[in-house]
């Protein structure tokens, strides 16, 4: 039987675990694919099979995103962020924690859901995943900077057995400093706190969620920032 030939952006299936993927590069009999979870891996062509169009539906958004990103790179534009792909990257991040610390992973998911809601939960705008090439890939909240008129990194969430939050000082609302006792984080531009999930009660979580809400209310958005919303103190 002849070995299947693959083309770039073709839908494919791993014959071993039956997972779907998208071909992004071929080199001889080696095929590099992008999985639905955002992982890139290289296989021998014999371990992949083409997926008919009738079964390729779940991969179409990923194929479209990969094409857009390539086009964006060609023109030197900023990376186009697909909200669903960002959510997939977050799920992958949490699954990696759960392999070693299942209880902590669920605790982090609960807290993240509360924080994301406080920030507006708009992947690609109010939060994203730091690139895997970074020294500490992690979810990061973004906030609107009135001065630059751009969305910038606001809070890094470095999760594992415990949780370290790093926040930019300039966006802390009045009274928020006490929640982040470690000064000079983020190369001196931020403050931080290291939390133990065992003592992270709903009441303690609420204090951080309220802090984020106050920060976003004060910063506003491109549509509302010009109104000059006052900072809200943390009580």
């Amino acid at each position: 039987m002849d070995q299947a030939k693959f083309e770039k952006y073709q839908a494919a299936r791993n014959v071993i675990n039956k997972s779907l993927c998208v071909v992004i590069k071929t080199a001889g009999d080696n095929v590099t694919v992008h999985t639905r979870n955002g992982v890139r891996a290289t296989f021998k062509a014999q371990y992949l099979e083409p997926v008919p169009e009738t079964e390729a539906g779940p991969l179409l958004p990923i194929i479209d995103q990969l094409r857009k990103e390539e086009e964006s790179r060609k023109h030197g534009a900023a990376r186009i962020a697909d909200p669903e792909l960002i959510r997939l990257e977050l799920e992958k991040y949490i699954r990696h924690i759960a392999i070693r610390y299942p209880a902590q992973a669920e605790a982090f998911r609960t807290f993240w859901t509360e924080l994301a809601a406080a920030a507006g939960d708009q992947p690609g705008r109010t939060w994203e995943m730091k690139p895997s090439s970074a020294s500490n890939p992690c979810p990061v909240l973004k906030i609107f900077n009135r001065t630059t008129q751009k969305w910038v990194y606001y809070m890094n969430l470095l999760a594992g057995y415990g949780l370290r939050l790093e926040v930019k000082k300039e966006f802390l609302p009045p009274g928020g400093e006490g929640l982040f006792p470690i000064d000079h984080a983020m190369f001196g531009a931020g403050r931080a706190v290291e939390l133990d999930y065992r003592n992270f009660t709903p009441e303690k979580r609420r204090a951080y969620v309220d802090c984020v809400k106050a920060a976003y209310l004060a910063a506003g958005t491109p549509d509302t920032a010009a109104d000059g919303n006052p900072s809200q103190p943390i009580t």
Side-chain angles (χ1 to χ4, degrees):
M1 183 176 178
D2 293 337
Q3 183 169 282
K5 299 296 183 181
F6 295 94
E7 298 180 355
K8 192 173 184 178
Y9 301 131
Q10 181 177 356
R13 178 185 289 109
N14 185 314
V15 299
I16 298 175
N17 61 19
K18 306 303 180 183
S19 62
L20 296 177
C21 54
V22 177
V23 174
I24 56 176
K25 184 173 70 173
T26 61
D29 63 346
N30 292 324
V31 181
T32 301
V33 302
H34 183 106
T35 71
R36 296 176 68 183
N37 292 331
V39 176
R40 296 197 173 193
T42 300
F43 300 94
K44 294 294 183 182
Q46 68 193 72
Y47 295 111
L48 299 170
E49 63 181 8
V51 171
E53 291 184 7
T54 54
E55 300 177 29
L59 294 174
L60 295 182
I62 298 176
I63 294 173
D64 182 60
Q65 176 65 20
L66 292 171
R67 290 182 184 276
K68 288 179 180 178
E69 289 184 359
E70 181 180 32
E71 189 66 21
S72 178
R73 287 193 295 270
K74 287 180 179 178
H75 292 83
R79 179 178 180 272
I80 299 173
D82 182 283
E84 291 310 310
L85 289 181
I86 294 175
R87 291 191 190 279
L88 285 175
E89 286 295 315
L90 173 67
E91 286 302 313
K92 182 173 68 174
Y93 179 80
I94 295 177
R95 283 199 301 274
H96 285 171
I97 299 172
I99 291 173
R100 297 183 63 186
Y101 315 117
Q104 286 85 342
E106 285 307 306
F108 174 74
R109 183 191 298 277
T110 297
F111 183 47
W112 168 258
T113 300
E114 295 171 342
L115 286 182
D121 196 12
Q122 299 179 55
R125 190 184 196 195
T126 61
W127 69 272
E128 65 182 45
M129 296 297 295
K130 288 177 64 176
S132 58
S133 59
S135 58
N136 288 304
C138 66
V140 57
L141 294 178
K142 300 173 68 177
I143 198 167
F144 185 66
N145 186 318
R146 294 170 183 260
T147 302
T148 64
Q149 295 291 295
K150 294 180 179 179
W151 291 87
V152 298
Y153 283 179
Y154 164 56
M155 178 187 289
N156 295 330
L157 292 95
L158 303 167
Y161 181 78
L163 174 63
R164 179 181 172 92
L165 303 180
E166 297 181 341
V167 62
K168 287 281 186 69
K169 294 178 184 179
E170 64 184 292
F171 298 111
L172 270 176
E177 295 83 357
L179 296 175
F180 301 90
I182 305 172
D183 200 0
H184 303 301
M186 304 171 77
F187 303 100
R191 299 182 66 92
V193 63
E194 294 183 353
L195 301 164
D196 186 330
Y197 292 110
R198 292 172 298 182
N199 301 319
F200 202 33
T201 62
E203 291 74 20
K204 288 185 178 180
R205 292 204 314 269
R206 175 55 53 189
Y208 288 94
V209 172
D210 288 345
C211 180
V212 168
K213 284 183 178 179
Y216 278 75
L217 178 63
T221 67
D223 298 326
T224 64
D227 296 338
N229 292 323
S231 298
Q232 299 297 310
I234 300 297
T235 58

